[in-house]
Amino acid sequence: MPSVFDDLVGQEHILEILQAAVVASQNGLQTQEMTHAWLFTGPPGSGRSSSAIAFAQALICSNNGCGTCSDCRAARSSGHPDVEIIRTESLSIKVEEIRELLTRVAWAPSLGGWRVVVMEDADRLTESAANALLKAIEEPGTRTVWLLCAPTLHDVLPTIRSRCRHLQLRTPSIAAVTKVLMDRDKILPDKANFVARVSQGHIGRARYLATDDTAQSNRHLIMQLPMQLGSLTAALQAAQTLVDIATETANTASEARDEIEIEKLQEAYGKGATGRGMAAGGSKAIKELEKDQKSRATRMVRDSLDGALLDLATFYRDVMVTQAGNRDSIINTDMVEAIASYSKTSSADAAIQKISAIMQARLSLAQNAAPLATCEALMCQLAKR
Ligand SMILES: [Zn+2]
């Protein structure tokens, strides 16, 4: 029988815990197995939010999370009255947003089971927002289950994390990602193994790379950059290329989604129904949505740039392992020759410095530094041999 838990790749160690909780939850009791606050942590791509959403589905589905019934499907697409998925587009979740959320979820679940709130970026809670949330989590006897997600335990206030059952997700192995791409997405073995390897266990990126031609050609362009940094002009050009690719990738992904969201909102305000204009408040709501979409687009460019920088880091990592005579563990198996010839022209120290320069640039971007300027500074550092 299919289950929403089938989608959790390489997370066998938490499956048993979640399934026991689902069984216990049907008795409606707060038992050792079932508790009302959970914290999912794990590296990017390990599937924190997909695990939390699968758990939410299993809690509200009358079939333990079959994945196919109308409850399961509605929960997944944020259309279920008892499942709320909080996705943040901005860099922080403010106290007003939490207060508003708390009024929304104060009602008993409409279908008599559980009300589940999935918060995908609990690490973005401001301190006052976290404190407001804490009060709700502490409240005993409610039918609300909180599923918080964050990269690590340290990203969440100690007061919050001490009240949550903690589940640590792992980066799935290359073999596990390869297998799921072959079984579920029907990707040929060699290709599945290659994309799993270069995506380093990030299943979403692996799948995207395997199925999208533009993603493949963009990756190729990015991975050629280290060989093209012969002059200052070339370094600045490389930075521009990197930012252009990230922007284009992010825009392609967000344009279609933005349009659908606007249409839905216009419909909600009655546009087109009787040939009249939108009901009162419609244009204000649209303006707000557009503002949110804009900040999401900015964040998506940063995310996509971050992915590109991680790819670049694997190049220098491969240079290092080649210099150490360990060619078997190369990640970018399509670039063995280029990596070998680069390795001869630089020292091991240089590769380490370049990797740390890349990590520093990622950190700056995460703290809102200007993308182009950050990439320009980085490329100048990478240009040194
Ligand atoms: Zn179901």
Side-chain angles (χ1 to χ4, degrees):
M1 180 169 194
S3 155
V4 282
F5 292 125
D6 295 347
D7 288 340
L8 311 189
V9 180
Q11 312 300 339
E12 291 75 14
H13 62 300
I14 64 161
L15 264 189
E16 214 169 290
I17 301 172
L18 291 177
Q19 280 162 340
V22 171
V23 173
S25 76
Q26 287 157 352
N27 305 323
L29 299 169
Q30 302 271 342
T31 60
Q32 203 184 351
E33 285 77 25
M34 180 57 192
T35 175
H36 65 296
W38 299 73
L39 177 58
F40 293 75
T41 63
S46 57
R48 299 186 293 259
S49 60
S50 350
S51 307
I53 292 171
F55 187 29
Q57 288 174 300
L59 285 174
I60 51 113
C61 166
S62 52
N63 247 331
N64 296 344
C66 62
T68 51
C69 72
S70 61
D71 280 337
C72 279
R73 278 181 291 137
R76 169 143 229 108
S77 61
S78 304
H80 195 284
D82 292 337
V83 178
E84 180 120 22
I85 301 173
I86 312 291
R87 292 199 171 96
T88 321
E89 310 306 350
S90 52
L91 294 167
S92 64
I93 305 177
K94 304 204 167 52
V95 65
E96 297 80 28
E97 294 169 60
I98 292 300
R99 288 206 188 109
E100 199 197 323
L101 170 70
L102 292 178
T103 15
R104 271 205 308 276
V105 301
W107 303 91
S110 61
L111 304 176
W114 297 91
R115 184 179 281 284
V116 191
V117 182
V118 178
M119 191 172 286
E120 289 192 346
D121 307 281
D123 51 312
R124 293 173 199 244
L125 287 163
T126 63
E127 199 170 337
S128 50
N131 286 326
L133 180 64
L134 182 63
K135 286 210 186 84
I137 291 183
E138 280 175 329
E139 217 162 274
T142 84
R143 303 285 300 168
T144 302
V145 181
W146 297 88
L147 308 181
L148 311 181
C149 309
T152 72
L153 268 183
H154 303 288
D155 295 311
V156 182
L157 278 188
T159 41
I160 296 234
R161 65 175 190 245
S162 65
R163 279 160 184 87
C164 294
R165 182 96 179 258
H166 176 220
L167 296 175
Q168 168 74 47
L169 275 70
R170 296 194 280 238
T171 299
S173 66
I174 291 169
V177 175
T178 306
K179 184 170 183 316
V180 81
L181 290 175
M182 286 165 53
D183 293 351
R184 215 176 297 157
D185 302 289
K186 309 290 169 232
I187 312 277
L188 296 174
D190 282 352
K191 190 175 195 178
N193 181 272
F194 174 71
V195 295
R197 200 176 251 272
V198 300
S199 311
Q200 298 177 78
H202 192 307
I203 184 153
R205 289 179 55 202
R207 181 177 286 139
Y208 177 55
L209 196 56
T211 53
D212 189 295
D213 291 344
T214 316
Q216 283 162 35
S217 60
N218 282 343
R219 177 181 176 277
H220 184 73
L221 286 176
I222 292 164
M223 297 307 285
Q224 297 307 311
L225 293 178
M227 274 76 74
Q228 297 166 356
L229 303 174
S231 66
L232 180 63
T233 322
L236 297 179
Q237 181 53 50
Q240 186 68 55
T241 305
L242 204 55
V243 173
D244 287 348
I245 291 176
T247 312
E248 197 190 292
T249 308
N251 286 352
T252 318
S254 57
E255 269 162 23
R257 185 155 67 148
D258 287 358
E259 220 166 281
I260 295 169
E261 284 171 351
I262 297 262
E263 273 172 27
K264 271 193 178 163
L265 192 62
Q266 284 173 335
E267 269 171 40
Y269 277 92
K271 193 190 177 190
T274 54
R276 285 179 294 121
M278 282 183 289
S283 29
K284 186 167 171 248
I286 302 267
K287 277 216 183 78
E288 270 168 23
L289 175 61
E290 283 171 347
K291 207 176 123 207
D292 287 351
Q293 288 177 336
K294 218 174 148 206
S295 72
R296 175 173 67 200
T298 312
R299 181 175 152 193
M300 284 172 73
V301 172
R302 285 172 194 278
D303 286 351
S304 135
L305 205 47
D306 191 59
L309 293 181
L310 275 175
D311 282 345
L312 271 181
T314 64
F315 175 86
Y316 295 105
R317 181 254 177 219
D318 284 349
V319 167
M320 247 170 28
V321 301
T322 305
Q323 285 169 336
N326 190 6
R327 284 172 71 157
D328 290 346
S329 70
I330 281 184
I331 292 173
N332 298 287
T333 45
D334 58 335
M335 298 180 69
V336 173
E337 293 311 314
I339 290 164
S341 68
Y342 187 101
S343 307
K344 289 181 195 135
T345 65
S346 78
S347 68
D349 280 358
I352 295 171
Q353 279 165 14
K354 290 182 166 87
I355 292 174
S356 74
I358 293 173
M359 297 309 158
Q360 189 53 50
R362 294 180 58 219
L363 208 59
S364 306
L365 287 170
Q367 290 162 351
N368 251 349
L372 185 58
T374 308
C375 289
E376 285 174 348
L378 172 63
M379 288 303 164
C380 291
Q381 280 175 286
L382 297 185
K384 292 181 203 158
R385 287 277 173 120

